[in-house]
Amino acid sequence: MSTILFGFGDSVAATRRLGRALNVPALEVEVHRFPDGECLVRIPSTARTVLFYRSLNDPDHKIIELLFAASAARDGGAERVILIAPYFCYMRQDMAFRSGEAVSQKVIGSLVASHFDGLITVDPHLHRVASLNEVVRGITAISVSAAPLLATLIDDRDAPVIVGPDGESRQWIEAIAAPLALETLVASKRRLGDRHVGLAIAGADRVKGRRAIVVDDMISSGRTLVEAARLLHDAGCLSVEAVVTHCLAGPHDLAWMAASGIASIASSDSVDGSTNRAELAPLICRALRENELA
Ligand code: R5P
């Protein structure tokens, strides 16, 4: 067999979807957890090219399992081991904000580069670092844009305003709004704590009497989205919807966002959950093939 795709318990459905798109077998990595918290990882088969599919939300235990699985694939004779991580973790800590802090992005980048021959991810959160290749050095590292997929989630009836909650979101809102000829607004944001952000939206009065659709790479705690919604409602918008690549929020935070004025949240299936409205498999399949990784 030349190529095989593996997922884990948390990514079985998405792994199968990608397996069908690639027309390769999709199997599950076996993970046993011992009473002391350690894990035993087994891959039930191997191939020349082994692809591992796993989004790295809630990353700490997932990473160690992935490293064990990659090692098992190499021990089994794999010549290429590729990581497909639609959500790629620890990208926001790209510098030491206070002396003594670890630069998590750098550590994760070199860990992945030293255990995999290729990485495919979707809309990684790159801020002060311009490209994924600067984070994951020396291997093929591909960043796929979900913008074309997110554009399919925009209900553009009655010309809603597309809102980016911070400067980094400009790339997504422009890619989505331009083909649909929709107006955009970009907020400026200051993060004041894990669950505390300050936003300002210049020109917010343009949403008066209109729907606002906030587009972002990710929802984590939901604070950014709720603060944007508060300002947009204050400016007289009809409703606030959200369209994002990665929705990391759990049921509790999703319920809080709904109660805080968010009419709907639509995300890709990067992280399995109730907000999933669009599948990444076709985009990832194309990126794998174009880069000769599968
Ligand atoms: C960061 O700048 C990202 O683009 C998101 O806006 C942010 O991570 C969302 O986090 P939260 O949902 O916790 O406000």
Side-chain angles (χ1 to χ4, degrees), residues 13-219:
T15 307
R16 289 205 185 114
R17 288 195 282 275
L18 181 59
R20 280 196 293 275
L22 286 167
N23 197 24
V24 301
L27 302 178
E28 188 176 334
V29 175
E30 296 169 14
V31 180
H32 173 74
R33 194 140 303 267
F34 292 107
D36 60 9
E38 292 185 1
C39 63
L40 173 68
V41 169
R42 176 176 179 268
I43 58 166
S45 181
T46 192
R48 280 213 346 252
T49 297
V50 176
L51 312 171
F52 288 105
Y53 184 101
R54 191 172 221 190
S55 252
L56 292 174
N57 56 307
D58 190 14
D60 297 359
H61 73 285
K62 290 185 176 181
I63 287 171
I64 197 81
E65 291 169 9
L66 268 170
L67 297 185
F68 291 170
S71 168
R74 289 204 199 279
D75 291 348
E79 290 165 18
R80 287 197 311 174
V81 182
I82 310 297
L83 173 60
I84 304 156
Y87 175 70
F88 195 47
C89 58
Y90 285 119
M91 291 299 101
R92 287 172 286 181
Q93 180 77 10
D94 58 3
M95 61 178 279
F97 296 91
R98 292 179 304 144
S99 75
E101 283 181 353
V103 182
S104 324
Q105 183 191 75
K106 184 179 71 176
V107 178
I108 295 298
S110 57
L111 196 62
V112 167
S114 58
H115 288 82
F116 295 90
D117 303 300
L119 167 70
I120 297 244
T121 186
V122 181
D123 291 343
H125 189 89
L126 301 176
H127 184 189
R128 281 155 285 263
V129 174
S131 88
L132 189 62
N133 289 297
E134 292 173 50
V135 178
V136 185
R137 294 168 184 267
I139 65 168
T140 307
I142 308 295
S143 167
V144 175
S145 170
L149 192 66
L150 298 190
T152 68
L153 299 176
I154 301 286
D155 172 1
D156 63 348
R157 278 172 300 169
D158 309 323
V161 181
I162 305 296
V163 181
D166 52 30
E168 292 98 64
S169 63
R170 187 181 291 281
Q171 55 188 305
W172 297 293
I173 65 159
E174 284 178 353
I176 287 167
L180 298 170
L182 296 175
E183 263 187 76
T184 60
L185 283 174
V186 180
S188 56
K189 175 165 106 180
R190 269 192 329 133
R191 185 159 285 280
L192 306 165
D194 291 348
R195 292 175 181 269
H196 190 196
V197 296
L199 249 64
I201 309 181
D205 52 310
R206 281 168 33 214
V207 299
K208 190 172 170 52
R210 301 167 71 185
R211 288 164 48 234
I213 305 181
V214 179
V215 174
D216 205 357
D217 58 341
M218 62 195 282
I219 295 173

